[in-house]
Short mmCIF file of all heavy atoms in Angstrom, two decimals:
data_model
loop_
_atom_site.label_atom_id
_atom_site.label_comp_id
_atom_site.label_asym_id
_atom_site.label_seq_id
_atom_site.Cartn_x
_atom_site.Cartn_y
_atom_site.Cartn_z
N ASN A 14 0.87 -1.17 0.00
CA ASN A 14 0.00 0.00 0.00
C ASN A 14 0.91 1.22 0.00
O ASN A 14 1.74 1.37 0.90
CB ASN A 14 -0.89 -0.01 1.25
CG ASN A 14 -1.94 1.09 1.25
OD1 ASN A 14 -1.70 2.20 0.80
ND2 ASN A 14 -3.11 0.78 1.77
N PRO A 15 0.80 2.10 -1.00
CA PRO A 15 1.70 3.24 -1.06
C PRO A 15 1.64 4.13 0.18
O PRO A 15 2.65 4.72 0.57
CB PRO A 15 1.25 4.01 -2.30
CG PRO A 15 -0.10 3.47 -2.64
CD PRO A 15 -0.12 2.07 -2.14
N SER A 16 0.47 4.21 0.82
CA SER A 16 0.38 5.04 2.03
C SER A 16 1.26 4.49 3.14
O SER A 16 1.85 5.25 3.92
CB SER A 16 -1.07 5.18 2.49
OG SER A 16 -1.57 3.96 3.00
N GLY A 17 1.36 3.17 3.23
CA GLY A 17 2.24 2.56 4.21
C GLY A 17 3.71 2.82 3.91
O GLY A 17 4.53 3.03 4.82
N GLU A 18 4.04 2.82 2.62
CA GLU A 18 5.41 3.11 2.21
C GLU A 18 5.75 4.58 2.44
O GLU A 18 6.88 4.92 2.79
CB GLU A 18 5.60 2.75 0.73
CG GLU A 18 5.38 1.28 0.40
CD GLU A 18 6.27 0.38 1.24
OE1 GLU A 18 7.51 0.55 1.20
OE2 GLU A 18 5.74 -0.49 1.95
N ILE A 19 4.77 5.45 2.25
CA ILE A 19 4.98 6.88 2.46
C ILE A 19 5.32 7.17 3.92
O ILE A 19 6.27 7.89 4.22
CB ILE A 19 3.74 7.68 2.02
CG1 ILE A 19 3.65 7.69 0.49
CG2 ILE A 19 3.79 9.12 2.56
CD1 ILE A 19 2.32 8.20 -0.04
N ILE A 20 4.54 6.60 4.84
CA ILE A 20 4.81 6.91 6.25
C ILE A 20 6.13 6.29 6.72
O ILE A 20 6.79 6.83 7.60
CB ILE A 20 3.64 6.51 7.18
CG1 ILE A 20 3.39 5.00 7.16
CG2 ILE A 20 2.38 7.29 6.81
CD1 ILE A 20 2.44 4.55 8.27
N LYS A 21 6.52 5.19 6.10
CA LYS A 21 7.82 4.60 6.42
C LYS A 21 8.95 5.56 6.01
O LYS A 21 9.90 5.78 6.77
CB LYS A 21 7.99 3.27 5.68
CG LYS A 21 9.23 2.49 6.06
CD LYS A 21 9.46 1.31 5.13
CE LYS A 21 8.27 0.36 5.10
NZ LYS A 21 8.52 -0.80 4.19
N ALA A 22 8.81 6.15 4.84
CA ALA A 22 9.81 7.11 4.36
C ALA A 22 9.79 8.39 5.20
O ALA A 22 10.84 8.98 5.48
CB ALA A 22 9.55 7.45 2.89
N LEU A 23 8.60 8.82 5.62
CA LEU A 23 8.50 10.01 6.45
C LEU A 23 9.18 9.79 7.80
O LEU A 23 9.82 10.70 8.34
CB LEU A 23 7.04 10.40 6.66
CG LEU A 23 6.28 10.93 5.44
CD1 LEU A 23 4.81 11.15 5.78
CD2 LEU A 23 6.91 12.22 4.93
N ALA A 24 9.04 8.60 8.35
CA ALA A 24 9.69 8.27 9.62
C ALA A 24 11.21 8.39 9.49
O ALA A 24 11.88 8.90 10.40
CB ALA A 24 9.31 6.87 10.07
N GLU A 25 11.74 7.96 8.36
CA GLU A 25 13.19 8.05 8.13
C GLU A 25 13.62 9.49 7.92
O GLU A 25 14.69 9.90 8.38
CB GLU A 25 13.57 7.20 6.92
CG GLU A 25 13.36 5.69 7.14
CD GLU A 25 13.63 4.89 5.89
OE1 GLU A 25 13.97 5.50 4.85
OE2 GLU A 25 13.51 3.64 5.94
N ALA A 26 12.79 10.28 7.24
CA ALA A 26 13.15 11.65 6.90
C ALA A 26 13.05 12.60 8.10
O ALA A 26 13.88 13.49 8.27
CB ALA A 26 12.27 12.15 5.77
N PHE A 27 12.03 12.40 8.93
CA PHE A 27 11.77 13.35 10.02
C PHE A 27 12.14 12.82 11.40
O PHE A 27 12.19 13.58 12.36
CB PHE A 27 10.30 13.76 10.00
CG PHE A 27 9.92 14.60 8.83
CD1 PHE A 27 9.42 14.02 7.67
CD2 PHE A 27 10.07 15.98 8.86
CE1 PHE A 27 9.06 14.79 6.58
CE2 PHE A 27 9.71 16.76 7.78
CZ PHE A 27 9.22 16.17 6.63
N GLY A 28 12.35 11.52 11.52
CA GLY A 28 12.73 10.94 12.79
C GLY A 28 11.72 11.18 13.89
O GLY A 28 10.51 11.07 13.68
N GLU A 29 12.21 11.57 15.06
CA GLU A 29 11.36 11.76 16.23
C GLU A 29 10.50 13.01 16.14
O GLU A 29 9.64 13.23 17.00
CB GLU A 29 12.23 11.81 17.50
CG GLU A 29 12.95 10.50 17.79
CD GLU A 29 13.77 10.57 19.06
OE1 GLU A 29 13.81 11.66 19.66
OE2 GLU A 29 14.37 9.54 19.42
N ASN A 30 10.71 13.83 15.13
CA ASN A 30 9.90 15.04 14.97
C ASN A 30 8.50 14.73 14.44
O ASN A 30 7.66 15.63 14.35
CB ASN A 30 10.59 16.03 14.03
CG ASN A 30 11.89 16.55 14.61
OD1 ASN A 30 11.96 16.83 15.80
ND2 ASN A 30 12.92 16.66 13.79
N LEU A 31 8.27 13.48 14.07
CA LEU A 31 6.99 13.08 13.50
C LEU A 31 6.51 11.81 14.20
O LEU A 31 7.30 10.93 14.52
CB LEU A 31 7.17 12.80 12.00
CG LEU A 31 5.98 13.05 11.07
CD1 LEU A 31 5.54 14.49 11.11
CD2 LEU A 31 6.36 12.65 9.65
N CYS A 32 5.21 11.73 14.47
CA CYS A 32 4.62 10.52 15.05
C CYS A 32 3.97 9.72 13.92
O CYS A 32 3.14 10.26 13.17
CB CYS A 32 3.58 10.89 16.09
SG CYS A 32 4.20 11.94 17.41
N ILE A 33 4.34 8.47 13.78
CA ILE A 33 3.89 7.63 12.66
C ILE A 33 3.04 6.49 13.18
O ILE A 33 3.37 5.85 14.18
CB ILE A 33 5.10 7.06 11.90
CG1 ILE A 33 5.98 8.19 11.34
CG2 ILE A 33 4.64 6.12 10.78
CD1 ILE A 33 5.31 9.06 10.30
N LEU A 34 1.94 6.22 12.48
CA LEU A 34 1.05 5.12 12.86
C LEU A 34 0.56 4.40 11.61
O LEU A 34 -0.06 5.02 10.74
CB LEU A 34 -0.15 5.65 13.65
CG LEU A 34 -1.22 4.63 14.05
CD1 LEU A 34 -0.64 3.59 15.01
CD2 LEU A 34 -2.42 5.34 14.66
N LYS A 35 0.85 3.10 11.52
CA LYS A 35 0.35 2.29 10.42
C LYS A 35 -0.93 1.60 10.88
O LYS A 35 -0.93 0.86 11.86
CB LYS A 35 1.39 1.25 9.99
CG LYS A 35 1.02 0.51 8.71
CD LYS A 35 2.17 -0.38 8.26
CE LYS A 35 1.88 -1.05 6.93
NZ LYS A 35 3.02 -1.88 6.48
N LEU A 36 -1.99 1.83 10.14
CA LEU A 36 -3.31 1.32 10.52
C LEU A 36 -3.68 0.07 9.73
O LEU A 36 -3.34 -0.04 8.55
CB LEU A 36 -4.37 2.39 10.28
CG LEU A 36 -4.27 3.66 11.13
CD1 LEU A 36 -5.23 4.71 10.61
CD2 LEU A 36 -4.54 3.34 12.59
N PRO A 37 -4.42 -0.84 10.35
CA PRO A 37 -4.97 -1.97 9.60
C PRO A 37 -6.14 -1.51 8.74
O PRO A 37 -6.81 -0.53 9.08
CB PRO A 37 -5.43 -2.92 10.71
CG PRO A 37 -5.79 -2.01 11.84
CD PRO A 37 -4.82 -0.87 11.77
N VAL A 38 -6.39 -2.20 7.65
CA VAL A 38 -7.57 -1.89 6.83
C VAL A 38 -8.74 -2.67 7.43
O VAL A 38 -9.21 -3.67 6.90
CB VAL A 38 -7.33 -2.23 5.35
CG1 VAL A 38 -8.57 -1.88 4.52
CG2 VAL A 38 -6.12 -1.45 4.82
N GLU A 39 -9.15 -2.20 8.59
CA GLU A 39 -10.26 -2.76 9.35
C GLU A 39 -11.05 -1.59 9.93
O GLU A 39 -10.47 -0.76 10.64
CB GLU A 39 -9.76 -3.65 10.48
CG GLU A 39 -8.87 -4.80 10.05
CD GLU A 39 -8.26 -5.53 11.24
OE1 GLU A 39 -8.84 -5.41 12.35
OE2 GLU A 39 -7.23 -6.19 11.06
N PHE A 40 -12.33 -1.52 9.62
CA PHE A 40 -13.12 -0.39 10.06
C PHE A 40 -12.99 -0.13 11.56
O PHE A 40 -12.61 0.96 11.99
CB PHE A 40 -14.60 -0.62 9.71
CG PHE A 40 -14.93 -0.42 8.26
CD1 PHE A 40 -14.90 -1.48 7.38
CD2 PHE A 40 -15.27 0.83 7.78
CE1 PHE A 40 -15.20 -1.30 6.04
CE2 PHE A 40 -15.57 1.03 6.45
CZ PHE A 40 -15.53 -0.04 5.57
N LYS A 41 -13.31 -1.12 12.36
CA LYS A 41 -13.37 -0.91 13.81
C LYS A 41 -11.99 -0.72 14.41
O LYS A 41 -11.77 0.20 15.21
CB LYS A 41 -14.09 -2.09 14.46
CG LYS A 41 -15.56 -2.20 14.05
CD LYS A 41 -16.24 -3.40 14.69
CE LYS A 41 -17.70 -3.49 14.26
NZ LYS A 41 -18.39 -4.67 14.84
N ARG A 42 -11.05 -1.58 14.06
CA ARG A 42 -9.72 -1.52 14.67
C ARG A 42 -8.97 -0.26 14.27
O ARG A 42 -8.26 0.34 15.09
CB ARG A 42 -8.91 -2.76 14.28
CG ARG A 42 -7.61 -2.90 15.05
CD ARG A 42 -7.85 -3.17 16.50
NE ARG A 42 -6.59 -3.34 17.23
CZ ARG A 42 -6.37 -2.83 18.43
NH1 ARG A 42 -7.30 -2.16 19.05
NH2 ARG A 42 -5.21 -3.03 19.03
N ALA A 43 -9.11 0.17 13.01
CA ALA A 43 -8.43 1.39 12.57
C ALA A 43 -8.90 2.58 13.38
O ALA A 43 -8.11 3.41 13.84
CB ALA A 43 -8.67 1.63 11.08
N GLY A 44 -10.21 2.67 13.58
CA GLY A 44 -10.75 3.76 14.37
C GLY A 44 -10.29 3.72 15.81
O GLY A 44 -9.96 4.75 16.42
N GLU A 45 -10.23 2.52 16.38
CA GLU A 45 -9.79 2.37 17.77
C GLU A 45 -8.32 2.76 17.94
O GLU A 45 -7.97 3.47 18.88
CB GLU A 45 -9.99 0.92 18.21
CG GLU A 45 -11.44 0.52 18.38
CD GLU A 45 -11.62 -0.98 18.58
OE1 GLU A 45 -10.62 -1.73 18.50
OE2 GLU A 45 -12.77 -1.39 18.80
N LEU A 46 -7.48 2.29 17.03
CA LEU A 46 -6.05 2.60 17.12
C LEU A 46 -5.79 4.08 16.90
O LEU A 46 -4.91 4.67 17.56
CB LEU A 46 -5.27 1.77 16.10
CG LEU A 46 -5.18 0.27 16.39
CD1 LEU A 46 -4.52 -0.46 15.24
CD2 LEU A 46 -4.40 0.02 17.69
N LEU A 47 -6.53 4.69 15.99
CA LEU A 47 -6.39 6.12 15.76
C LEU A 47 -6.76 6.89 17.02
O LEU A 47 -6.04 7.80 17.45
CB LEU A 47 -7.26 6.56 14.59
CG LEU A 47 -7.21 8.06 14.29
CD1 LEU A 47 -5.86 8.43 13.69
CD2 LEU A 47 -8.34 8.47 13.35
N GLU A 48 -7.88 6.53 17.62
CA GLU A 48 -8.31 7.22 18.85
C GLU A 48 -7.30 7.04 19.97
O GLU A 48 -6.97 8.00 20.69
CB GLU A 48 -9.67 6.71 19.29
CG GLU A 48 -10.20 7.43 20.53
CD GLU A 48 -11.63 7.07 20.87
OE1 GLU A 48 -12.26 6.29 20.11
OE2 GLU A 48 -12.14 7.59 21.88
N GLU A 49 -6.77 5.84 20.12
CA GLU A 49 -5.77 5.58 21.16
C GLU A 49 -4.54 6.46 20.95
O GLU A 49 -3.99 7.03 21.90
CB GLU A 49 -5.36 4.11 21.13
CG GLU A 49 -6.42 3.16 21.67
CD GLU A 49 -6.06 1.70 21.42
OE1 GLU A 49 -4.92 1.44 20.95
OE2 GLU A 49 -6.89 0.82 21.71
N ALA A 50 -4.10 6.59 19.69
CA ALA A 50 -2.91 7.39 19.39
C ALA A 50 -3.15 8.87 19.66
O ALA A 50 -2.30 9.57 20.22
CB ALA A 50 -2.49 7.17 17.94
N ILE A 51 -4.31 9.36 19.26
CA ILE A 51 -4.62 10.77 19.49
C ILE A 51 -4.75 11.06 20.98
O ILE A 51 -4.27 12.09 21.48
CB ILE A 51 -5.90 11.16 18.72
CG1 ILE A 51 -5.63 11.16 17.20
CG2 ILE A 51 -6.41 12.54 19.17
CD1 ILE A 51 -6.85 11.38 16.34
N MET A 52 -5.37 10.15 21.71
CA MET A 52 -5.50 10.32 23.16
C MET A 52 -4.12 10.36 23.82
O MET A 52 -3.87 11.17 24.72
CB MET A 52 -6.32 9.18 23.75
CG MET A 52 -7.78 9.16 23.34
SD MET A 52 -8.74 10.43 24.17
CE MET A 52 -8.75 9.82 25.84
N ARG A 53 -3.23 9.50 23.37
CA ARG A 53 -1.90 9.39 23.97
C ARG A 53 -1.00 10.56 23.58
O ARG A 53 -0.31 11.14 24.42
CB ARG A 53 -1.25 8.07 23.56
CG ARG A 53 0.13 7.83 24.19
CD ARG A 53 0.71 6.50 23.78
NE ARG A 53 1.17 6.48 22.40
CZ ARG A 53 0.53 5.90 21.38
NH1 ARG A 53 -0.62 5.29 21.59
NH2 ARG A 53 1.02 5.93 20.16
N LEU A 54 -1.01 10.92 22.30
CA LEU A 54 -0.07 11.90 21.77
C LEU A 54 -0.59 13.34 21.83
O LEU A 54 0.18 14.28 21.91
CB LEU A 54 0.28 11.55 20.32
CG LEU A 54 0.95 10.20 20.10
CD1 LEU A 54 0.96 9.85 18.63
CD2 LEU A 54 2.37 10.21 20.66
N GLN A 55 -1.91 13.49 21.74
CA GLN A 55 -2.55 14.80 21.68
C GLN A 55 -1.85 15.71 20.66
O GLN A 55 -1.33 16.78 21.00
CB GLN A 55 -2.59 15.45 23.06
CG GLN A 55 -3.38 14.63 24.06
CD GLN A 55 -3.64 15.34 25.38
OE1 GLN A 55 -3.64 16.56 25.44
NE2 GLN A 55 -3.86 14.58 26.43
N PRO A 56 -1.84 15.27 19.39
CA PRO A 56 -1.13 16.03 18.36
C PRO A 56 -1.81 17.34 18.01
O PRO A 56 -3.02 17.50 18.22
CB PRO A 56 -1.15 15.07 17.16
CG PRO A 56 -2.40 14.27 17.37
CD PRO A 56 -2.51 14.08 18.85
#
């Protein structure tokens, strides 16, 4: 999936200055993981 490859490259380019999250293509789990990350990171 090109979006997965993009965030992998962004992680290498920006390092710790960027928070990266790879999501599953699953309606419920993707939403849950996104919410968990936003709650934790408060971006």
Side-chain angles (χ1 to χ4, degrees):
N14 187 323
S16 70
E18 298 304 303
I19 288 168
I20 63 168
K21 187 190 303 181
L23 291 175
E25 294 175 359
F27 291 93
E29 295 181 357
N30 295 319
L31 210 60
C32 304
I33 301 296
L34 176 64
K35 189 173 185 178
L36 295 170
V38 181
E39 303 172 21
F40 284 92
K41 295 178 180 179
R42 189 67 179 139
E45 290 170 355
L46 290 173
L47 179 71
E48 182 172 357
E49 288 171 7
I51 291 173
M52 293 286 291
R53 183 179 73 256
L54 299 168
Q55 299 190 25

